[in-house]
Amino acid sequence: MHASVIIFYILSAFILGAALLAVTARKIFRSAIFLLFTLIGTAALFFWMGVEFVAAVQIIIYVGGIVVLIIFSIFLTQKSGEEMPKPLRNRSLFSVLALLFGFAFTYHLIYKYRFEQPAPHVFNVKVSDIGTQMLSTTEHGFVLPFEVVSILLLASMIGCIVIAMKIKPMEGNEI
Amino acid sequence: MGIDFLILMKQEWMVIAILLILLFIKVSSDDWQNENILKLVNILLLINLITGFFGYRDGILFNEMFKTNHLIVTEKNILSLGTFIVSLQSYAWLRNNKLVLEFYLLLLSTLLGMFYMISAGNLLMFYLGLELSSIPLAALANFDLEKRKSGEAAFKFIISSAFASGLLLFGISLVYGTTGTLTLSALSDHLDGSSLQIFAFILLISGFGFKISTVPFHLWTADVYEGSPVTVTSYFSVISKGSVLFVFVTVLYTAFKSYAITWNHILFILSVLTMVIGNLFAIRQNNIKRFLAFSSISQVGFILIGMSGQSQAGTASVVYFILIYTFSNLGAFGVISLVSAYTGRENLEDYKGFYKTNPRLSWVLAISLFSLAGIPPTAGFFGKFFLLMAGAGQGNYLLITIAALNMVVSLYYYLKIIKVIFMDSNENPIKRLLTPSSPKLALIICTTGIILTGFVGYIYEYIFSMSTIF
Amino acid sequence: MNEISITQILFVSTALFFIGMYGLFTRRNMITMLMAIEIILNSVNINFVAFNKYLYPGKLDGVFFTIFIITIAAAEAAMAIAIIINLYRSHHSIDVEDAEEMKY
Amino acid sequence: MLLSLFIILPLLTALAVLFCKGLKQVRMISLMGTSVQFVFSFGLLYEYWKERASGNRAQFLFEMNASWFDPLHIHYHIGIDGISLSMILLTAFVVIAGVLVSWTQETLNKEFFFLLLILSAGAYGYFISLDLFTLFFFLELAVIPKFLLIGIWGSGKKEYSAMKLALMLMAGSALVFVGLMGLYFNTSINGAHSFDLVEISQMQISNSAQNTFFPLAFIGFGIFAALFPFHTWVPDGHSSAPTAASMFLAGISMKLGGYGCLRVATYLMPEAAHHYSPVIILLSTVAIIYGAFATMMQKDLKYINAYSSVSHCGFVLLGIGMLTQTSITGAVLQMVSHGLMTALFFAAIGMIYSRTHTRLTEQLGGLLKVIPFISTVFVIAGLCSLGLPGLSGFVAEMTIFMGSWQNPDQWYRLATILACASIVVTAVYILRATGKSLMGPIHNFQYNHLADAGWNERLAAGILITGIVAIGVAPFWLYYLITPGTEYIIQHVGKAITLK
Amino acid sequence: MSPYFFVMLVPLLPLVSFCILGLFGRKYIKTTSGTLGVISLFISALLSLYTAYRYFFIDGKVNGIYQHIIALKYTWLQFSPRVSIDMGILLDPISVMMIVIVSFISLMVHIFSLGYMKGEERFAIYYAFLSLFTFSMLGLVLSSNIFQIYIFWELVGISSFLLIGFYFENPSAVTASNKAFIVTRFADFGFLIGILILAFYSGTLDFGTLIERLTTAGSSQYIDIHSATFLGASMLTWGLGLVFIGGAGKSAMFPLHIWLPDAMEGPTPVSALIHAATMVVAGVFLVARLFPVFSIDLTVLQIVTWVGAFSALFAAVVACTQTDIKRVLAFSTMSQIGFMMFSLGVSKYGGESGLGYTGSMFHLFTHAFFKSLLFLGAGAVIHFAHTNDIRDLGGLRKLMPVTHLSFLIACLAIAGIPPFSGFFSKEDILMAAYHSDKIIYAIAVLTSALTAFYMFRLYYSVFWKRDIHLHDKNHEEGTLSMRLTLVILAVCTAFAGFVPVSSWITSDGAPLESHIDIVFSVFPVLMALTGIGLATYLYKTENRRPQIITSAFGSLYRAAYRKFYIDELYLFITRKIIFNGIGRPAAWFDKNIVDGFMNGLATTTAKISGLIKGLQSGKVQNYALYFFGGIIALAVLFIYVLNY
């Protein structure tokens, strides 16, 4: 067994375990920390797959931005250490059933599907390539989405300011 | 290339320019009066609308990330028109609002998002456009900052929309995984009809279904419509919904053409559910906004029928209907937003005896509702007729029958409102409202539109001539 | 490295997806719901990267998609948190069960 | 253009009404508009005769065909034959009488006349349409004004009735719509579909398609024509409506259905018409008998007339279902006759109600003495209803009986006999109603001071009675008007059979 | 143009008078209305007489046979190329005779009413209605088309309805008029079906063609109508039987007679016109009109005979017990019409065996005079004494000499005492019956004895019985116009029997040798005299004999007095069976089942709407769950169930 295979399994187990804990932990702060672990695990998985840039972005935005934001908001709205209310029993039951079924179903479909592996091709993601393509207008250029996203960020920033101005005027600029 | 940028993306440029102007005003000074800002914005929107009618060209930009053609330009024009009307109507509400500029910044960025979404030739652009058009909407939904309902609506919207986009993304990822491309025009060549792909396709449809609120993906709609400010609700129900419908029809007709049988059946199920459930809920509503939410849900059921027509008439009837729907729904919302802005009353009972005090507004509301119900001589009749006719082209007579009977049910609740307005008496009716000039203009535009769009056969012919040949 | 097939990675992402969904369906705290959404988006990201890497390594569509998703997730989260905070201000609760004033 | 005036004029009048101030102006304008319309309809009659006399044997005269929604092959195609012309005359009569009867309509008068005129525009448009889309358009156009008229100016449980009427009629038009779709997509002219009545009639539509869409179209139109068991909007709707609306509703609106059954369902799907003819006959016979018996138990004058309308409109459908030329001619005659007669009836009831404020037969009595004119009008309407020779009802019913009897099948004969039997029951309820409400001693001493009809009411009644008597005494002119139209229909129906 | 074109004026003049009086009489003409009506009728009657003169004496006869002359024919309604309703005038012996009778009696009534109705508020309307009736009746008898006769038949019905209900403020008048109309309408329903049957098989509505086609053995129509059967009877039998029902209804034959006694609620002159002389004989006329066809179907003739005979006897029995002067006369009318009817029934077509036909028509002729005289006399009595009840009357012979004398002549005529007119006509009928069926003959003789009895019972009760001395000098015996009419009619009654009807009116148009068989007539006259004698014994003076006899008969008397409970039976059928048994359930069914179903649809929709409101729970997590569920459901459906 290859080392990378083992690493993959470990990473997978880590990600899934942390995610499970994140959605089940009774204390919100713990939950946030487990989310952090999940995100870091995912970043690691990206790293494992050879897309270091994405992994980096993942760490910066998710870990550095979103989770921090979430934690801030937890502090704002919650007394730490307090246990969260239990989920409603009926809903958990139905959710679990539906989701288990959904998972089995989806994975069954994926499993059945014969993905055609192309001839070995070097999958080499250079950061410089990404940078060029991001701002290129030619083929494989992503300047238009880039601009759209920038407008989106601007708009959401304005939105956040409008909504939450009175409480915390700073939270729009997390990026 | 350079001139192409300008001309092909003219509508986007216009919106961006307006955004920049507004941003500049925001940054530069605080001295602007609300009235003046509103005037300026309305003029700018009018310019935007007018420029839309010039310089039609078909073309593709950015490696098919952006594409445009006559139909798309027309669709954008419809959205611009709708936005213009919404903006005119918001006058009464925004007059004394401190955040006018922010409101327009958010509103126009969503409009921009929709433009990109409609022009998207690529699932990435589609997704980005979709998000751009929905995330600021959440902020808009929360614009009545003091109202609890508004916050609740915004929360429900953002969570539902995030959830929906999660599913949509999962679907897109599976599409990508099974076809290897995100470009819509290339997609149809790679479809293999495997179960996984159909699942992905269903996920994709659910994403669309969420935005256009088809049953069972509609549940957020009523709550969000009820909680949001009336102007935003009307924007939600007309512009936001309309834009996604435009994309939906293009995506189905071009990218997923080879799945025609599948989506035809899916649309069958969805449209029946949507009409029936929408109607059943609309019957029991008391809040007029909530009522219009369900009515707009059932309207979508009818639009889906037209979409299932798989013909040139299918596209044409959908676009045509959305144009009519814009006029009709905005006509209704125009009156409601006036009433809401001046009195804050939004319940059906409040409208008792409305005709006694405000006969003109009552007629506008009535005509709009008739148009929504598909009663001649309003344009709604023509719109619905052509939608169902397009649907019948596929021999789906069962569907048509169900739809036609649902129109009867829907007539019930429209007439219920008419009854309240015209026939019921009230000790404490809504007082006589003085309509400011800009909402009045909006209402005149809507009413004229409702009357003319149907009768003038040329409009339909025009849309038809541009529509995608299936 | 080649022993890990795409389906295995997809197993992880799918499982993550449904775990996220579970969180979304059951957590009563609005912020935790938001967290669940982040998990969902993450799983999609894994999908995209995996597909790109294993099946279509020629172009970087998947990778770019992932990057944009991450960005949008951030914007979405920010907006959601702003709304939640606003809601907290008026409701003094961020239990989702309390946000049901509008119904039927 | 000549025909389009029939749509344009009421619309212009309606618009003009909107700009009027005060009841006096409004009613003057309305009266002028409707009078012009009235005169025009006679002008049309004259032109029609001139055209026919000059040997023009075309099925439809004064045709006009303009493209409307070109991609869908929807045309604004109008034209008339004798059947439509008689319906137009009927409409002109009823509308002008309706305006006159509503002369003193105080509350919201502008809206009232406006809606009334819109209704008339709808009816005219419907009768001149030769394109199914236009036809359907006008059919639906005439629904909502009725809702408003009943709901706003009505009496009793008006909102319920208005809603019921609107919904049932819309359900009818929904079925019609599906039927039209079926017709449209089963025609093919160079690959294109058509809504054109003339074009469709030259088309051979497959039997299975006909058998599917005929019931839809027929029931749909049938709901308008009070087809049993879809007639329940009739009693409530008629009784709650204000006088002019009742007149319009029973006089014209129900004819829309009968006309549609004939012109669209039967004419365009002849084989299916044969196939379903027993069902139609069964239902219409039930409606005739059962409506008559149900009428017998009613105590409210408007309910009496409404239920009797169910019974009388059953004759229309019976005539159509029997599929002989005479019976179809009879059906058309019955439509005209019933339209005039029931309008007159409702006008009389309205006049009585406006004076006594009750319509219950028990509370009335002896009115013939205090308001002889109105009572006489009522009696004449009643006599027409029970089929007195010399009035239009007799001519129409006898033609239907005669035509129905030509069908030698035993069961058809039985249906005819049962339908004939209803004339006895009709006599019973009409005479009971007149006896109780108009004759006998005066129960309520306040009635001693009632004023008899004013000039407007006299004129309205006079116009309608003239129509009734003109048909009753000299039916041949109307008969010759109608016959060419029915000939075309019956030839078509006959041709379809031989082809099978 | 036919030389008889002017006959058109006979019915048209009353129509014109009706229109003028109906539209303007009430306001503008008022009391001169009567004069107007009389003038129009006078011209009409003169024209009728001229017609009769011309027809019978100048050009009606060709080759010794009276022809059917179509004076006018105008297509009124073309049902189909073959079948049409024509408005026409058919002149043949019976129609000529009828127009004379109708216009003459009507003229009499018009004149009589000048006095009788004087001061009546709705004087003009009254004359308008009278004119309308006269028009309808004249139209009826002149009809050349079976549908035309139906049209006028109905018009006659409605004008009789209007006249019976003339005193509409009186509830019993309203009920009576309704009853009359509805009962005859019911009969007309049969008539209509009969017409439909005959018209269908003969392919025409024209009388002449119809009779010709149906009586020509071997014609295709003849074969068709005989070969088509329903419930064991040929279609001819059905058609004629149904037509006869129509006739029976109008002619008040048992059991459709119930309207006739009640119809006496109308003004008395009206009763004289309608319920004595003209309208009630329409049924007889109808059978006579179609007699060639009737004569080939023995089944129907049997029915006609027995119905006529039974009605005659039944009515005579009832008449003996009635106390209302007009009711006695009403039942007597019914009885006399029964005579005419069975006389037709026993007749055959052509030659000597057609005596019944001639007798029937003859009796119709004479009956018109004496019965209208009786009614007008009764009217004069009522006008004078203000009561109809014979128990309150008596001794009027001195106060009303003219009335008394004319009434007596009429009574003798109806009793069949020679040489008054009734004797001659009854003689023919009895002869025909005797030659045909002895039982019928027996019934006829018995009835004629009863007739004599009850007529003289009436006569004595009104004019004798006791002596009354009215001190009030203002009481006069009616106006001049009333007395004048009584005198004219009395003269007619006395001498009408000498009119040679049998040579004019026969079943086949060829004259019949008239012969009075003295031997044969002795027995009936004796019977009649017995009846008169009995009446004289019982009623001439006030005594207790009638009560004794009444109590002796007991229940039979009561039953007869209550008209054998036929009215009650009808009431039971209408109230209990039709109203409660059909009408009420129909109305209930409509309200609760049919309408209930429609309303049920609405409430069900609303209920479902209420049931599923939980979907929209307001909880965003539920929404997400449903969302997800929807996707899974769609996916499973499309991937596993539908297998795309």
Side-chain angles (χ1 to χ4, degrees), chain D residues 93-152:
Chain D
F93 269 84
V94 174
V95 170
I96 194 168
V99 168
L100 283 171
V101 165
S102 322
W103 202 244
T104 50
Q105 180 68 44
E106 282 295 342
T107 48
L108 299 176
N109 48 63
K110 203 184 279 185
E111 290 83 348
F112 186 85
F113 285 101
F114 176 76
L115 290 173
L116 212 58
L117 289 162
I118 294 288
L119 257 185
S120 71
Y124 284 124
Y126 180 82
F127 291 130
I128 62 174
S129 297
L130 291 182
D131 184 279
L132 296 181
F133 177 83
T134 347
L135 185 119
F136 185 70
F137 174 84
F138 286 114
L139 180 70
E140 287 213 338
L141 181 64
V143 173
I144 293 304
K146 284 177 227 161
F147 170 80
L148 292 172
L149 280 171
I150 296 176
I152 298 177

Side-chain angles (χ1 to χ4, degrees), chain B residues 18-31:
Chain B
I18 298 173
L19 276 173
L20 288 178
I21 292 170
L22 294 181
L23 212 54
F24 176 75
I25 293 170
K26 177 73 194 169
V27 176
S28 60
S29 80
D30 291 339
D31 302 339

Side-chain angles (χ1 to χ4, degrees), chain D residues 160 164 168 228-232 235-236 290 293-294 296-299 307 326 333 366 368-369 372 379 383 386-390 394-395 398-399 401-402 405-408 410 413 416-418 420-421 423-424 427-428 431-432 434-436 438-441 458 471-476 479-480, chain E residues 26-27 74-81 83 85 121-122 147 150-152 154-155 158 161-162 165 168-171 174 177-179 181-182 185-189 192-193 195-201 205 229-230 235 575 578-580 582-587 589-591 594-596 598-599:
Chain D
Y160 166 80
K164 188 168 175 181
M168 287 192 71
F228 177 86
F230 306 106
H231 63 275
T232 53
D236 288 325
Y290 161 94
F293 275 112
M296 231 159 56
M297 305 316 296
Q298 304 303 322
K299 297 193 168 66
Y307 269 106
T326 313
L333 280 172
L368 193 54
K369 193 174 173 61
V379 171
L383 293 181
L386 59 75
L388 180 73
F394 175 82
V395 175
M398 290 308 140
T399 314
F401 294 152
M402 209 68 199
W405 194 261
Q406 285 172 11
N407 217 327
Q410 297 279 335
R413 288 271 167 86
T416 312
I417 292 176
L418 286 173
C420 288
I423 61 172
V424 182
V428 173
L431 293 188
R432 268 169 65 94
T434 20
K436 278 197 177 169
L438 303 184
M439 300 176 180
R458 281 171 195 265
I471 298 170
V473 171
F476 35 83
Y479 204 87
Y480 292 133
Chain E
R26 192 184 173 83
K27 272 200 173 155
Y74 186 74
T75 304
W76 190 66
L77 192 56
Q78 186 87 40
F79 283 134
S80 66
V83 181
I85 302 183
E121 189 189 357
R122 297 162 71 240
F147 223 108
Y150 181 76
I151 289 172
F152 285 102
E154 290 290 316
L155 279 175
I158 202 70
F161 162 79
L162 293 171
F168 63 83
E169 282 160 75
N170 182 0
V174 176
S177 61
N178 287 356
K179 192 171 177 184
F181 192 80
I182 290 164
R185 199 81 210 272
F186 178 74
D188 295 348
F189 162 53
L192 180 61
I193 304 292
I195 291 175
L196 290 178
I197 292 175
L198 293 181
F200 180 79
Y201 285 100
L205 290 168
T229 55
F230 180 65
M235 282 324 262
R575 279 281 142 71
I578 300 201
F579 274 76
N580 288 345
I582 303 176
R584 212 175 292 277
F589 182 80
D590 194 66
K591 200 171 172 195
V594 182
D595 202 17
M598 296 298 165
N599 287 338

Side-chain angles (χ1 to χ4, degrees), chain B residues 339-352:
Chain B
V339 174
S340 169
Y342 283 113
T343 65
R345 290 157 86 170
E346 285 175 1
N347 278 337
L348 203 51
E349 289 94 54
D350 300 333
Y351 282 82
K352 280 184 178 171

Side-chain angles (χ1 to χ4, degrees), chain E residues 154-266:
Chain E
E154 290 290 316
L155 279 175
V156 162
I158 202 70
S159 28
S160 120
F161 162 79
L162 293 171
L163 285 167
I164 296 171
F166 186 73
Y167 297 123
F168 63 83
E169 282 160 75
N170 182 0
S172 63
V174 176
T175 321
S177 61
N178 287 356
K179 192 171 177 184
F181 192 80
I182 290 164
V183 172
T184 51
R185 199 81 210 272
F186 178 74
D188 295 348
F189 162 53
F191 186 16
L192 180 61
I193 304 292
I195 291 175
L196 290 178
I197 292 175
L198 293 181
F200 180 79
Y201 285 100
S202 66
T204 181
L205 290 168
D206 185 72
F207 269 129
T209 327
L210 186 138
I211 290 170
E212 188 195 321
R213 285 187 184 164
L214 292 185
T215 49
T216 315
S219 74
S220 63
Q221 288 89 355
Y222 181 87
I223 295 165
D224 279 354
I225 200 165
H226 277 92
S227 57
T229 55
F230 180 65
L231 296 179
S234 80
M235 282 324 262
L236 182 66
T237 311
W238 277 103
L240 290 176
L242 288 165
V243 168
F244 175 66
I245 288 181
K250 203 124 274 183
S251 286
M253 291 290 97
F254 182 88
L256 296 171
H257 65 280
I258 50 155
W259 62 273
L260 186 62
D262 290 5
M264 298 303 137
E265 292 289 346

Side-chain angles (χ1 to χ4, degrees), chain E residues 287-509:
Chain E
V287 176
R289 167 61 76 225
L290 283 172
F291 192 72
V293 189
F294 271 96
S295 66
I296 59 169
D297 193 315
L298 293 176
T299 326
V300 180
L301 272 189
Q302 284 290 315
I303 296 170
V304 172
T305 310
W306 283 102
V307 168
F310 182 77
S311 301
L313 181 60
F314 173 86
V317 171
V318 176
C320 294
T321 60
Q322 297 302 306
T323 54
D324 184 315
I325 179 167
K326 287 175 76 180
R327 281 181 192 244
V328 176
L329 292 177
F331 278 103
S332 129
T333 307
M334 178 183 164
S335 173
Q336 297 304 309
I337 291 167
F339 266 88
M340 301 175 205
M341 213 49 120
F342 79 71
S343 171
L344 280 175
V346 298
S347 175
K348 297 204 171 41
Y349 184 75
E352 284 295 318
S353 53
L355 179 65
Y357 179 89
T358 307
S360 170
M361 289 300 109
F362 195 7
H363 196 59
L364 194 160
F365 181 70
T366 56
H367 174 256
F369 293 113
F370 60 69
K371 189 51 66 64
S372 57
L373 176 54
L374 283 171
F375 265 108
L376 290 182
V381 168
I382 293 165
H383 189 252
F384 180 84
H386 299 290
T387 176
N388 309 6
D389 199 324
I390 52 173
R391 286 168 297 194
D392 302 337
L393 289 165
L396 291 178
R397 67 183 183 283
K398 281 180 190 148
L399 296 169
M400 309 181 72
V402 180
T403 314
H404 168 232
L405 203 63
S406 54
F407 205 90
L408 177 62
I409 293 173
C411 284
L412 290 170
I414 195 173
I417 305 299
F420 298 103
S421 58
F423 165 75
F424 297 97
S425 54
K426 224 175 231 180
E427 203 55 32
D428 282 357
I429 291 176
L430 292 175
M431 180 84 89
Y434 182 78
H435 288 306
S436 167
D437 192 333
K438 296 293 180 296
I439 303 173
I440 299 293
Y441 174 70
I443 293 174
V445 173
L446 177 61
T447 309
S448 89
L450 281 172
T451 309
F453 170 73
Y454 67 70
M455 281 320 295
F456 276 87
R457 167 176 175 258
L458 182 66
Y459 166 74
Y460 286 123
S461 306
V462 174
F463 292 101
W464 295 78
K465 204 162 70 178
R466 58 189 138 170
D467 287 321
I468 295 175
H469 304 284
L470 282 181
H471 304 289
D472 196 345
K473 292 279 180 193
N474 288 340
H475 267 79
E476 280 189 35
E477 189 194 358
T479 60
L480 177 67
S481 66
M482 290 161 76
R483 274 174 292 165
L484 181 69
T485 35
L486 291 180
V487 172
I488 296 173
L489 280 172
V491 173
C492 292
T493 306
F495 300 107
F498 299 106
V499 175
V501 168
S502 60
S503 64
W504 293 344
I505 303 168
T506 53
S507 55
D508 55 357

